[in-house]
Amino acid sequence: MARITGSYPDDLNLLIEGAVEAGVFGGKSDALREFVREYFEDHENERIAAAVALYERERITLGDAARLAAVDRWTMRDILREHGVDLRLGLADEDDAAYEVEAASELEFDDADSDDEEQPAK
């Protein structure tokens, strides 16, 4: 989990403190996490823009970008192309490889026809 430090207006701070005291949130960190989460849930374009920017700056992989943008990898590839971002092909690390293995294991193949296929002539 990442830590951030920031400033915000006193009135906002008072509202957050009041919400914590009222039991709405367990603490200021809980309140801020909830605000940010709700913002990105309600603002799809901003969520996608953030994922594109991070991918373009090589801070995240394609899989991470897709997860952050809340789309599948194929859609994320299309989004990146629409934004003129070059795709980086290949596996970036073990996590990326594990994601690919998991995705491949979920694919379904129809093996019933494989015995009926003609063998190439020798």
Side-chain angles (χ1 to χ4, degrees), residues 4-120:
I4 60 171
T5 304
S7 310
Y8 41 90
D10 290 336
D11 284 350
L12 212 72
N13 187 52
L14 286 172
L15 285 171
I16 293 170
E17 286 179 3
V20 170
E21 288 178 21
V24 176
F25 299 105
K28 284 184 177 182
S29 292
D30 292 339
L32 294 172
R33 274 192 296 274
E34 181 66 15
F35 297 148
V36 171
R37 185 190 60 74
E38 283 187 19
Y39 176 83
F40 282 113
E41 281 181 0
D42 294 342
H43 295 86
E44 177 184 12
N45 290 338
E46 286 81 353
R47 186 176 65 241
I48 289 171
V52 168
L54 291 168
Y55 181 85
E56 186 173 30
R57 287 164 183 80
E58 298 185 11
R59 301 255 329 266
I60 59 174
T61 65
L62 177 65
D64 292 331
R67 181 177 48 79
L68 291 175
V71 298
D72 61 58
R73 284 178 176 236
W74 307 114
T75 302
M76 191 70 222
R77 287 179 182 189
D78 292 341
I79 291 169
L80 291 167
R81 286 183 184 118
E82 289 169 8
H83 285 84
V85 176
D86 291 330
L87 295 176
R88 298 186 311 271
L89 303 176
L91 302 174
D93 55 28
E94 288 181 22
D95 290 339
D96 203 28
Y99 183 94
E100 291 292 340
V101 168
E102 182 182 339
S105 69
E106 294 174 4
L107 296 174
E108 295 181 17
F109 297 97
D110 186 8
D111 291 335
D113 295 332
S114 62
D115 293 338
D116 297 335
E117 292 180 15
E118 288 184 31
Q119 296 297 321

